[in-house]
Amino acid sequence: MSEKNFLEAQQSINAKGRIIDLSEPKVMGILNITPDSFFGESRTKSIHEALSKAEKFLKEGATFIDIGGYSSRPGAADVSIEEELYRTVSVVEAISTMLPEAVISIDTFRAKVAEETVYAGAHIVNDISAGDLDEGMFEMVATLKVPYMMMHMQGTPQTMHQNPHYENVTLEVVDYLAKKVAQLRALKIHDLIIDPGFGFGKTLEHNYQLLKEMEAFKLFKLPVLVGFSRKGMIHKVLGTTAADALNGTTVLNTIALQKGAKILRVHDVKEAVECVKLVERLQG
């Protein structure tokens, strides 16, 4: 990589031969193959339902379909690797076959699940633990040669809501991700996307400080993914529920786009795509 390219912001990723342009923000639709995800309407129970949702997402303008078989909501029950594979592999195969235009990311922190689903048709690995929950993940991504999305999380899905603490949340998240980027670069993994991890091991105050100071992540020169969709940081402030948090999601997505976010991970694709179009018009 030349010095010039190193200093420039990464504007695209290579997803198994597909060049995804991120100079303009993109939308990722959430497809939960789980019975216990925090937003009930996102739970998907069959391959037919998964195909129907994925097709709807694509028609509404999604670039990415994020498939997950392990609920990461606070306090979620652990799921065996066999169960996670059972939930995800057949859905990835079906979508990659029936909807070949979809760019599929697999939402997993397990190297084995990443391996099996990429072979089944997934293009990207989206890891909420940035390799912390499976020491084999970085080597696996290097072997698979696919883009890697890495998120900051304090604790695990089972413990992250139990009194998270930071001296300075933004500085600590930036420092954590900087160390991860260095490790991945050493393995010659260059298609990286970073996720500050809103809602993962962070209080309301931590989440809003991170959003307020989100420009700090521009120093990485890497695309930033944000996931606010219908989370507690919205409905706890408004005194409502996840079911009533679409408007709040759009507000936070708008702010994040203005601060440099390149991927919006959402349950509601149509509204997020409209948000991108309007912000791009304003900035254009």
Side-chain angles (χ1 to χ4, degrees):
M1 182 179 290
S2 70
E3 182 180 2
K4 179 181 178 182
N5 287 336
F6 178 77
L7 293 172
E8 290 177 350
Q10 180 180 318
Q11 299 285 355
S12 65
I13 56 172
N14 185 335
K16 294 171 74 172
R18 300 189 191 191
I19 305 302
I20 312 298
D21 178 17
L22 294 173
S23 60
E24 295 183 358
K26 300 294 188 289
V27 173
M28 170 182 283
I30 299 169
L31 194 57
N32 290 320
I33 318 300
T34 56
D36 57 343
S37 295
F38 78 90
F39 179 46
E41 291 186 25
S42 74
R43 301 169 190 169
T44 307
K45 303 178 182 66
S46 68
I47 292 176
H48 175 77
E49 187 179 358
L51 279 167
S52 178
K53 285 186 177 182
E55 184 175 25
K56 178 175 181 286
F57 286 164
L58 293 172
K59 287 181 178 177
E60 291 177 342
T63 299
F64 304 99
I65 306 295
D66 193 44
I67 298 172
Y70 187 114
S71 175
S72 56
R73 65 177 174 79
D78 190 34
V79 173
S80 71
I81 191 169
E82 293 79 15
E83 177 64 19
E84 188 180 355
L85 285 166
Y86 173 76
R87 292 175 179 181
T88 55
V89 171
S90 58
V91 172
V92 170
E93 287 177 338
I95 291 175
S96 65
T97 300
M98 302 301 294
L99 300 169
E101 68 272 32
V103 180
I104 301 169
S105 64
I106 178 65
D107 181 359
T108 187
F109 56 80
R110 289 166 164 158
K112 181 63 174 175
V113 176
E115 179 182 34
E116 295 294 328
T117 51
V118 167
Y119 288 152
H123 304 88
I124 298 169
V125 175
N126 181 12
D127 179 2
I128 62 170
S129 80
D132 284 346
L133 296 181
D134 188 334
E135 63 183 14
M137 179 60 93
F138 284 8
E139 291 286 353
M140 179 58 69
V141 173
T143 299
L144 294 172
K145 294 181 170 58
V146 294
Y148 182 60
M149 299 176 173
M150 57 176 168
M151 190 190 78
H152 173 274
M153 172 174 61
Q154 190 176 96
T156 69
Q158 289 74 37
T159 65
M160 64 185 181
H161 59 298
Q162 297 171 4
N163 194 33
H165 174 76
Y166 303 87
E167 294 299 324
N168 184 308
V169 65
T170 303
L171 289 178
E172 290 177 48
V173 172
V174 167
D175 182 63
Y176 171 91
L177 291 172
K179 292 173 181 175
K180 295 292 183 177
V181 169
Q183 293 173 38
L184 291 158
R185 295 293 195 210
L187 292 169
K188 302 189 185 305
I189 301 169
H190 294 294
D191 283 327
L192 300 174
I193 294 167
I194 58 174
D195 179 349
F198 292 99
F200 283 81
K202 298 168 185 75
T203 64
L204 279 178
E205 290 73 19
H206 295 145
N207 284 315
Y208 281 97
Q209 183 181 343
L210 263 182
L211 178 56
K212 182 179 180 180
E213 299 172 349
M214 214 182 92
E215 288 92 346
F217 296 96
K218 290 182 179 180
L219 68 87
F220 288 105
K221 307 293 185 183
L222 293 171
V224 176
L225 179 151
V226 294
F228 305 113
S229 190
R230 297 181 178 270
K231 286 184 176 177
M233 67 179 288
I234 299 167
H235 59 79
K236 287 178 182 177
V237 172
L238 301 177
T240 57
T241 66
D244 301 309
L246 175 55
N247 187 56
T249 299
T250 300
V251 171
L252 297 194
N253 281 338
T254 301
I255 295 168
L257 288 170
Q258 292 175 321
K259 290 176 174 286
K262 292 298 183 182
I263 301 176
L264 303 179
R265 183 179 182 274
V266 298
H267 299 93
D268 309 278
V269 168
K270 176 177 176 290
E271 290 79 2
V273 169
E274 291 176 348
C275 185
V276 169
K277 288 180 179 178
L278 291 172
V279 172
E280 285 293 287
R281 179 70 180 219
L282 176 66
Q283 295 178 338

